[in-house]
Amino acid sequence: MSAGVISPASVARPHAAHAPGRAVTVLAIRQIRRGGLIVVVLLAGLTALVAATYGRVMADPAAVGSMQALAGNPAIRTLFGEPAGLDTAGGFTVWRVGTFLAVLLGTWAILATTRITRGEEDTGRWDMLLAGRLPLRAVLARHLAAVAIVPVAAGTGIAAVLVASGTPARGALVHGAGTALLGLFFVAVAACTAQILPARAPATGLAVAVLGSGLLARMVGDGVTELGRLRWLSPFGLLALSGPYLQDRVLPLLLLLAATLVVTAAALAAAGRREVRGGLVTFASGRDARLTLLAGVETFAVRRVLRPLTGWTIGVGAYYLLIGLTAVSITGFLAGNPALADGAAEAGFAEVGSVAGLTATLFAILAMPAGGFIAVRMGAFVTAETDRLLVTLAAGPVSRTRLIGAEITATTGAAVTLVTAAGLATWAGVTVTGGDLSLAGALSGVWNILPIVLLSLGAAVFAAGWAPRLVSLIGGLPATGGFLLLVIADSVAAPGGVRDLSPFAHLAPVPLSEPAWTASTVMLVAAAALTVVGVAGYRRRDLGS
Amino acid sequence: MSRPALRATGLTKRYGRLTALDDLTLDVPAGEVFGFLGPNGAGKSTTIRLLLGLARPTAGQAWIFGVAASDVVRAHSQLAYVPADVALWPQLTGAEILHLQARTGPGTDEAYRDELVERFALDPSKPARTYSTGNRQKVALIAAFATRAPLLVLDEPTSGLDPLMEREFRTAVGAARDRGQTVFLSSHQLSEVEAVCDRVGILRAGRLADVATIQGLRGLHRSEVTVSYAGAEPVLSAIPGVEAVDAPGEGRLRFTLTGPPAPALRALAGADVTAMTVREPSLEEIFLDYYGTESAR
């Protein structure tokens, strides 16, 4: 059948000279550029800001001594990392925001990596990409390279602003490189879990679990001297062991680099061994129907929130349990060192001399994960709409108000559960260690932040109605944005009007004092107004398809 | 029933400067199987989104059994819908999705649903993420046909089905018709429309080009006549109804014929015609007549 054979020479290759790989890289970069830019600016900006405030915080020589003494307390070390080198602007900055920014970068790296790799594959968009000339492994490598730009840029930015603030270059480089490597490590971890598991949500969950246990290992290793070696097993621990501005050790960073390379290589090897849309682990191909919570729009919203709620509750609950377990030790230590308590207050931890004061301070921070949870869930609701999953529900006899109302109700219930679980975990931790925190006190403390959480919900619903693409961003604004605004306003001594824009500025330290009822009411009214306007927008806009 | 199952008056949708649907006025009486034909991008899905209240018209209005399309709770309690590109919750199995649809939809005949699952050969125990395009379509079709909703809105429902399943689909449409259900079937497949529809609306570039019965649509168009002759060539110029005369070969003539054939037959009678074929145009060709010249906007 020679007639059917087409000679290769006769087939025109009009664009053979164009590199298909470059097109894939550009595609990957386009998917992360906006979020990546925000992350880089946030990390470098916050680092610069804190480095700049060092002079003011440390103007009092007594404060310097107190901060040094903090280093001796295991509980402080557990929660905030080893306060090393607090007598320098660089060391202070690393202690104050280093871990926070590392967690932020690691989380972003995971979410971005699974979103543009496994997420795109899940939707089937990679089928077309992989029908091209690049094999799966090459496509994955190019996507990882694109995400990797962000940690590298963030680390470079951090090192640059630290050098620019006049801190020693070696410490700045170690901290910048460490942060970048940590981000790269989690890009690799997420890439790996995305090869192992055949769907985006469990891949993200597994990678976040790795991040959480890494953080926990660092906390335990920092707090319990005998278990100090645990830190060598945790990326956050290695970051701490590099000791920027103190020891400036390179070995931990080399280990982190080696781990990153090994995990990346494993991810790429796994990519070459699996089928597209499959994973190394496959789920059972069939199962019995589980019909609970499928009876209506409302129960289905509850069903969809249960699994993410479980994950978030485990993570947030573990952190607050740890806070509860260490609260007695911290407060006892601080009560015996009044000057130290003042120092802690200067560093942003007000009235930490009592369990009530310490927990009140840390409960305020709970608004961030709870607000983040709301933003993520409402973001998932809009994604379900753009993925056309909602269309079959919307084509039923279900009003738009009921559709989004079910989501709002389920999300609110889940957020209240999350916040309550954190309160219970704290109370349990304090009670086990013989501390003084009533159950009512713990619960009133965590429920005190609900107005901020509901403000996040209002913002997210407003965005779902009027700017659906920006739901996650706008939904995260009241809690995360508000907290950052407060920190920044405090750091640069901004006019009171700017600081007052943050809902955190109006939060009373419950259970230390009574809730600020007026402020809470104002926030709740604002939340309700945003929700009503958002639902009105959702009722009248076209559904995405 | 006096009220039409579906009515649109002056229905228009613009996205910025693009007019996706322009002044659509259409009545589909209850009990009819109505085909909605058009090429990709003609505005079929936009029309359906407006009819379902998923998108709001820039101008005009639509009614489902006399209920404004924007009143989705009442309007949707009388219809079931199969989207063009079916997306299903990936973590739910087929059975779970059918259950959810039955509970949130306009009411389902569960015995008939189970029968449809058998007939469409769907394995409902699998999670939706493992379903192929055709299987996702089956889930949506089963969910829609199993409702007793008086109106079924189907948007290109067979694009992913194999011929065997297409036959099941046609059977199910027939059963729906027998029960008195109205079917609004959007498609670009003529064979499908020809096989199941009573009437057809043709949409072109956002405008309704024509509404006709299948027979009427054919009647509007010319037949193609080919004759073979011996000797002198028959003279066909200036014969009413005869157009596009050409000679495909030695001793053969081909022309199109519109209207009564008598004048053409008289002209042929004078020649020594040895063979003659008259071919009805396929819907395909009718379709091309509509789109061939003005397919792009």
Side-chain angles (χ1 to χ4, degrees), chain A residues 233-245:
Chain A
L233 297 177
S234 154
F236 292 99
L238 290 172
L239 203 59
L241 287 165
S242 70
Y245 297 105

Side-chain angles (χ1 to χ4, degrees), chain A residues 118-469:
Chain A
R118 181 52 81 171
E120 289 294 292
E121 201 176 326
D122 275 353
T123 60
R125 284 192 282 267
W126 268 25
D127 289 3
M128 204 162 66
L129 207 57
L130 293 168
R133 274 182 279 160
L134 288 190
L136 176 59
R137 189 183 288 177
V139 169
L140 177 68
R142 286 182 175 272
H143 277 73
L144 297 187
V147 190
I149 294 171
V150 174
V152 171
T156 311
I158 286 173
V161 299
L162 284 174
V163 170
S165 339
T167 68
R170 189 174 164 86
L173 279 179
V174 167
H175 183 55
T179 307
L181 280 172
L182 186 119
L184 292 175
F185 177 76
F186 283 108
V187 171
V189 167
C192 212
T193 59
Q195 308 313 306
I196 296 168
L197 296 169
R200 176 180 165 190
T204 307
L206 185 59
V208 169
V210 171
L211 184 142
S213 26
L215 197 57
L216 210 61
R218 205 256 354 186
M219 285 177 166
V220 174
D222 272 347
V224 186
T225 319
E226 300 80 55
L227 296 175
R229 287 187 185 175
L230 266 182
R231 292 185 297 177
W232 288 94
L233 297 177
S234 154
F236 292 99
L238 290 172
L239 203 59
L241 287 165
S242 70
Y245 297 105
L246 206 64
Q247 300 97 345
D248 284 334
R249 276 188 290 201
V250 176
L251 178 66
L253 298 186
L254 288 178
L255 276 176
L256 190 52
L257 175 66
T260 305
L261 292 177
V262 167
V263 178
T264 306
L268 291 175
R273 286 170 171 270
R274 67 175 182 88
E275 291 177 359
V276 176
R277 295 222 216 180
L280 290 186
V281 174
T282 48
F283 291 142
S285 62
R287 63 174 166 85
D288 290 340
R290 294 193 284 263
L291 300 182
T292 45
L293 295 176
L294 282 181
V297 175
E298 288 79 11
T299 53
F300 185 47
V302 172
R303 177 167 164 143
R304 278 179 290 124
V305 84
L306 280 182
R307 199 171 286 184
L309 174 63
T310 309
W312 281 75
T313 304
I314 291 172
V316 172
Y319 183 73
Y320 277 87
L321 180 66
L322 203 64
I323 283 173
L325 289 170
T326 53
V328 174
S329 160
I330 296 182
T331 52
F333 178 72
L334 290 177
N337 300 270
L340 211 64
D342 292 345
E346 280 288 326
F349 301 101
E351 308 221 37
V352 292
S354 69
V355 170
L358 179 77
T359 51
T361 307
L362 293 171
F363 285 157
I365 298 172
L366 177 62
M368 275 194 285
F373 173 77
I374 295 251
V376 168
R377 289 313 304 162
M378 291 309 292
F381 178 67
V382 170
T383 307
E385 176 192 328
T386 48
D387 287 349
R388 302 183 313 281
L389 293 171
L390 283 185
V391 94
T392 42
L393 291 180
V398 175
S399 69
R400 295 272 187 95
T401 311
R402 196 176 149 205
L403 200 60
I404 195 168
E407 202 66 22
I408 292 171
T409 312
T411 308
T412 309
V416 172
T417 308
L418 177 67
V419 160
T420 306
L424 288 174
T426 313
W427 170 78
V430 173
T431 308
V432 164
T433 50
D436 179 28
L437 179 68
S438 68
L439 182 59
L443 291 181
S444 65
V446 289
W447 288 342
N448 181 51
I449 60 135
L450 282 177
I452 298 183
V453 177
L454 292 175
L455 210 51
S456 299
L457 178 75
V461 173
F462 177 83
W466 299 96
R469 282 194 199 175

